[in-house]
């Protein structure tokens, strides 16, 4: 079996998930959902939130079902989007510290990086616009009409088709099970990023390894 370094060295493209993988924004999403559900008298359990909303992707519908809430998914979605936009408009969403160096190293290896996320392109662009240090991203693919959210592979398939890249030439970097499942169905290799939010989660979805951003950077530095 090839090492992670050997696999990366064969790739032309990295498909980055954004929230919780490229940007440490998952706690901000949680804040927005907390405010949205509070309008209907419901308090989110944060421990449950990060597993059902970010890892497995049960999300709003699962929360409403589990707690027999009277609100509907669309009401929560609209309120959450409003609060999230307010929160990211002040520049508090930050990239993981190693991202800039990782992107630079990938560029030196002639491997392109794009973002392929369940979040909207508009939200991602707003966050990136607040950065003092600009990052080398070729293109942003966000959720749009006609594309289903991960764990469906639609966003990855759309990115690959647009860029005319074969799945075998692409590597997905994800932080959740639903993202890994989307990578599998897009027929791409994947790495699972280990962070303070994901270190205790498990998944049977295929991936080359579960490593931190620092470990990923070390792997890249060892590729000649």
């Amino acid at each position: 079996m090839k090492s992670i370094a050997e696999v990366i060295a064969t790739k032309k493209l990295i498909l980055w998930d954004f929230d919780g993988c490229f940007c440490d924004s998952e706690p901000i999403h949680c804040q927005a959902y907390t405010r949205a559900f509070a309008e209907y008298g419901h308090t989110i359990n944060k421990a449950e939130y990060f597993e059902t909303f970010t890892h497995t992707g049960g999300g709003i519908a699962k929360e409403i079902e589990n707690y027999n809430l009277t609100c509907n998914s669309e009401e929560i979605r609209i309120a959450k989007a409003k609060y999230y936009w307010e929160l990211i408009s002040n520049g508090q969403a930050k990239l993981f510290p190693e991202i800039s160096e990782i992107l630079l190293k990938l560029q030196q290896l002639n491997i392109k990086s794009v973002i392929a996320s369940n979040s909207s392109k508009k939200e991602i662009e707003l966050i990136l616009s607040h950065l003092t240090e600009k990052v080398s991203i070729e293109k942003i693919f966000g959720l749009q009409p006609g594309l289903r959210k991960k764990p469906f592979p639609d966003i990855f398939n759309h990115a690959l088709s647009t860029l005319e890249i074969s799945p075998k030439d692409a590597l997905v970097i994800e932080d959740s099970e639903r993202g890994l499942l989307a990578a599998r169905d897009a027929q791409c290799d994947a790495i699972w990023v280990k962070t303070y939010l994901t270190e205790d989660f498990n998944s049977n979805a295929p991936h080359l390894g579960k490593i931190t951003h620092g470990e990923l950077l070390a792997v890249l530095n060892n590729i000649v």
Side-chain angles (χ1 to χ4, degrees):
M1 181 180 292
K2 288 184 178 180
S3 68
I4 292 177
E6 289 172 323
V7 173
I8 292 176
T10 69
K11 303 301 181 182
K12 298 178 181 178
L13 177 72
I14 303 295
L15 293 162
W16 284 92
D17 177 50
F18 189 70
D19 300 295
C21 184
F22 195 90
C23 180
D24 190 11
S25 50
E26 288 295 2
I28 304 175
H29 280 285
C30 184
Q31 289 180 55
Y33 273 118
T34 298
R35 290 171 66 179
F37 275 106
E39 291 186 3
Y40 299 91
H42 176 63
T43 301
I44 284 180
N45 179 308
K46 287 188 178 181
E48 292 177 357
Y49 170 86
F50 288 112
E51 182 161 10
T52 60
F53 278 74
T54 68
H55 183 50
T56 60
I60 298 171
K62 192 70 174 176
E63 190 77 6
I64 291 173
E65 177 188 348
N66 285 348
Y67 290 94
N68 195 28
L69 303 178
T70 57
C71 54
N72 65 56
S73 295
E74 189 58 22
E75 290 170 335
I76 295 296
R77 189 172 292 109
I78 291 171
K80 183 266 177 178
K82 178 185 71 172
Y83 290 130
Y84 184 67
W85 187 263
E86 289 175 2
L87 288 166
I88 62 174
S89 292
N90 64 14
Q92 67 174 282
K94 304 297 182 184
L95 304 189
F96 285 98
E98 300 88 353
I99 289 295
S100 293
E101 198 171 349
I102 289 172
L103 293 177
L104 179 59
K105 183 60 182 178
L106 288 168
Q107 197 173 44
Q108 292 170 351
L109 293 168
N110 293 315
I111 302 173
K112 294 181 179 179
S113 289
V114 302
I115 292 169
S117 170
N118 276 346
S119 289
S120 74
K121 182 180 179 181
K122 192 175 179 181
E123 290 172 345
I124 295 169
E125 288 178 334
L126 176 60
I127 290 173
L128 295 181
S129 72
H130 285 289
L131 300 179
T132 54
E133 182 181 357
K134 301 307 175 185
V135 292
S136 300
I137 285 291
E138 297 279 334
K139 199 169 180 63
I140 298 170
F141 296 91
L143 191 65
Q144 57 183 276
L147 299 181
R148 297 168 296 176
K149 281 188 171 187
K150 304 167 190 174
F152 294 102
D154 299 26
I155 295 169
F156 293 144
N157 288 340
H158 175 61
L160 293 170
S161 174
T162 301
L163 298 170
E164 299 182 332
I165 297 286
S166 168
K168 69 179 179 60
D169 292 325
L171 174 71
V172 168
I173 300 183
E174 270 286 353
D175 71 309
S176 68
E177 180 174 65
R178 61 178 174 166
L180 295 174
L181 290 171
R184 178 199 66 189
D185 291 346
Q187 300 182 330
C188 294
D189 289 323
I191 289 174
W192 190 1
V193 168
K194 180 180 178 181
T195 71
Y196 66 100
L197 291 177
T198 66
E199 58 186 353
D200 294 329
F201 293 153
N202 298 302
S203 175
N204 291 322
H207 52 282
L208 301 173
K210 186 178 183 181
I211 59 177
T212 66
H213 291 91
E215 289 168 339
L216 174 58
L217 180 58
V219 167
L220 294 174
N221 284 331
N222 284 326
I223 298 175
V224 179

